[in-house]
Amino acid sequence: MDEGQRLDVYIANQLDHLSRSFIQKLIEQGNIQINGNRDIVKKYKVIENDEIEVEIPDPELLKVDAENIPIDIIYEDEDVVVVNKPQGMVVHPAPGNYKGTLVNALLYHCKNLSSINGVIRPGIVHRIDKDTSGLLMVAKNDKAHRSLAEQLKEHSINRIYIAMVHGNIKEERGTINAPIGRHPVDRMKMAVVDRNGKNAVTHFRVLERYGEYSLIEAKLETGRTHQIRVHMTYIHHPLVGDPIYGQKKEKFHTNGQMLHAQTIGFIHPTKGEYMEFHADIPDHFSKIIKTIENLYRQR
């Protein structure tokens, strides 16, 4: 046990399919017990031999509206759906944004979704950012959700991204092993931090070099928020078009970071077979690559 760690942080590390905000809500509602006691403060710090019991309440009735939004379903069966999310689409509803999300679309196109993540995130096992395009796996029942979440926890899911970054990366390949946590000053950002950071590992290799730009393949060993964006900025190669971690002035209009989740592979929850799916780079990304390539050739 990580003695001295905040309770919500400790539980989030053990059950990483639960967000810290959700865990804090469970503490407030008395759904978490420490040594049989439900009256716990949010900032409680765990100590050796603490007996922690977490009760996940029954999901509320779904209140998010199903919407007839076209989505690119790559694969679907009774347990899982693999979707190719377009750039600009939010994965799940959040305060102030309850319509037009991938979840709204999934509720229309799929009869069933897992209930583990409750009203707002039914079926959602993992996320990609609004302006990141590419593949997501979605659970259609709780058994499948638990299986996929466990694979994520064990870092056994194969997730490969394509990204265009600033700078000419000299190495053919490399590994970034640097913990990621909330930025100590700007709480809207993530950063490489020593204190309260979670283990984060990204492997990358260079696909093409275009002068002051590099096209890379990034493979996630872990899955922290904004991991590739934070790690590439950390080594001074921020993603082209990244509005949070990138350069203030860009030569191209990108509508967000040039990042695409190209490949996802996992063990099927029921069949027990490894399945892998690929999604081609979308048109908006291809156009930027061609523009950069032409710019490079003119020099």
Side-chain angles (χ1 to χ4, degrees):
M1 176 175 286
D2 297 323
E3 189 167 4
Q5 196 171 54
R6 270 182 52 151
L7 177 63
D8 57 342
V9 175
Y10 176 78
I11 294 176
N13 287 336
Q14 302 302 312
L15 306 173
D16 57 7
H17 63 284
L18 301 181
S19 68
R20 283 181 60 187
S21 59
F22 181 69
I23 294 168
Q24 289 168 359
K25 185 177 179 181
L26 293 179
I27 294 172
E28 289 177 354
Q29 295 173 340
N31 288 313
I32 295 180
Q33 298 183 53
I34 303 292
N35 305 319
N37 179 25
R38 296 177 185 269
D39 187 16
I40 308 162
V41 295
K42 283 185 181 180
K43 295 183 179 180
Y44 178 87
K45 295 182 179 180
V46 297
I47 59 177
E48 193 70 29
N49 297 322
D50 267 347
E51 292 186 5
I52 303 172
E53 183 176 339
V54 179
E55 299 173 9
I56 307 297
D58 292 334
E60 304 171 45
L61 292 176
L62 212 53
K63 296 177 183 178
V64 177
D65 294 330
E67 296 181 62
N68 186 8
I69 302 170
I71 51 175
D72 184 10
I73 295 177
I74 303 297
Y75 174 83
E76 181 178 8
D77 61 24
E78 294 181 353
D79 297 298
V80 297
V81 182
V82 177
V83 181
N84 184 18
K85 185 189 81 67
Q87 184 189 53
M89 175 179 271
V90 176
V91 171
H92 62 77
N97 187 22
Y98 286 98
K99 294 185 178 295
T101 74
L102 179 62
V103 162
N104 294 107
L106 285 167
L107 288 171
Y108 181 88
H109 291 281
C110 303
K111 292 182 180 180
N112 300 301
L113 293 172
S114 74
S115 62
I116 285 177
N117 274 340
V119 173
I120 300 299
R121 296 188 290 172
I124 301 302
V125 183
H126 67 122
R127 295 178 291 173
I128 55 178
D129 301 326
K130 173 186 174 183
D131 293 329
T132 298
S133 58
L135 297 177
L136 279 167
M137 56 183 186
V138 178
K140 295 183 72 174
N141 55 65
D142 290 358
K143 177 185 176 182
H145 194 129
R146 284 189 288 269
S147 172
L148 295 174
E150 184 63 25
Q151 291 179 57
L152 277 172
K153 184 177 180 180
E154 294 174 350
H155 312 311
S156 61
I157 289 180
N158 188 27
R159 288 175 290 170
I160 299 175
Y161 291 70
I162 303 297
M164 182 68 78
V165 303
H166 285 280
N168 194 304
I169 300 177
K170 304 302 180 184
E171 304 87 354
E172 293 298 323
R173 60 183 66 238
T175 295
I176 308 167
N177 187 344
I180 291 176
R182 191 66 59 182
H183 193 285
V185 177
D186 187 345
R187 306 304 289 176
M188 299 299 291
K189 297 171 65 174
M190 307 300 288
V192 170
V193 293
D194 292 325
R195 185 177 181 182
N196 294 328
K198 290 185 178 181
N199 176 50
V201 180
T202 304
H203 306 282
F204 71 87
R205 70 183 181 97
V206 177
L207 301 176
E208 296 285 347
R209 295 181 178 88
Y210 306 104
E212 59 193 76
Y213 300 94
S214 298
L215 184 69
I216 68 165
E217 176 186 275
K219 183 174 182 179
L220 291 178
E221 185 172 316
T222 55
R224 307 307 176 198
T225 301
H226 299 173
Q227 179 171 317
I228 294 172
R229 299 165 66 185
V230 171
H231 269 172
M232 295 312 297
T233 299
Y234 177 66
I235 65 169
H236 309 296
H237 293 288
L239 271 62
V240 172
D242 193 325
I244 298 178
Y245 306 101
Q247 296 186 358
K248 291 183 178 180
K249 292 184 178 180
E250 293 280 4
K251 294 180 181 180
F252 318 102
H253 182 63
T254 63
N255 289 320
Q257 64 274 357
M258 290 292 93
L259 184 63
H260 175 67
Q262 185 181 56
T263 301
I264 192 162
F266 54 88
I267 301 296
H268 191 278
T270 300
K271 299 176 183 178
E273 301 172 354
Y274 178 74
M275 307 181 74
E276 187 170 282
F277 303 92
H278 306 271
D280 292 338
I281 294 172
D283 289 343
H284 76 274
F285 202 138
S286 296
K287 289 178 181 178
I288 294 296
I289 293 176
K290 289 179 181 178
T291 301
I292 291 176
E293 185 177 19
N294 291 334
L295 181 66
Y296 172 63
R297 286 175 176 174
Q298 290 172 8
R299 294 183 175 180

